[in-house]
């Protein structure tokens, strides 16, 4: 979760820099924002999939999936949606 907060903080700083009158100076950082957002999404997927493996049968039933589906989702690479 700390990683996500870091990425959000960087995004906030980059957003402020883009509104700055010297935004041409920060233009290369716009690409960095895209990379950081992608890394944040990948991190969140990896964490969520790891947590999915920890759910018991009752919890899986509550979210409407069975163990086989949970295993399939949890073992997908983090870069795949």
């Amino acid at each position: 979760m700390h990683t996500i907060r870091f990425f959000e903080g960087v995004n906030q700083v980059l957003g402020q820099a883009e509104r700055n009158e010297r935004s041409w100076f920060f233009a290369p950082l716009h690409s960095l924002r895209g990379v950081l957002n992608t890394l944040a999404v990948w991190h969140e997927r990896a964490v969520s999939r790891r947590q999915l493996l920890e759910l018991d049968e009752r919890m899986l039933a509550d979210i409407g999936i069975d163990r086989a589906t949970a295993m399939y989702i949890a073992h997908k690479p983090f870069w795949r949606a």
Side-chain angles (χ1 to χ4, degrees):
M1 200 48 119
H2 297 290
T3 307
I4 300 299
R5 283 192 215 128
F6 168 77
F7 290 135
E8 289 172 353
V10 169
N11 270 333
Q12 185 178 16
V13 169
L14 291 176
Q16 290 170 354
E18 287 174 354
R19 290 187 297 275
N20 189 324
E21 63 187 35
R22 297 186 317 158
S23 62
W24 60 269
F25 180 77
F26 296 99
L29 296 179
H30 185 69
S31 296
L32 178 61
R33 174 187 282 177
V35 170
L36 292 175
N37 283 338
T38 299
L39 291 175
V41 168
W42 286 355
H43 179 263
E44 186 63 31
R45 281 185 195 155
V47 169
S48 297
R49 291 173 181 176
R50 201 172 321 119
Q51 291 171 341
L52 190 60
L53 289 174
E54 298 173 3
L55 300 179
D56 63 22
E57 298 301 325
R58 181 187 56 80
M59 292 177 182
L60 291 172
D62 284 347
I63 61 172
I65 63 173
D66 59 6
R67 176 62 59 192
T69 304
M71 296 292 285
Y72 172 76
I73 293 169
H75 288 98
K76 285 182 8 180
F78 63 84
W79 58 86
R80 289 200 186 145

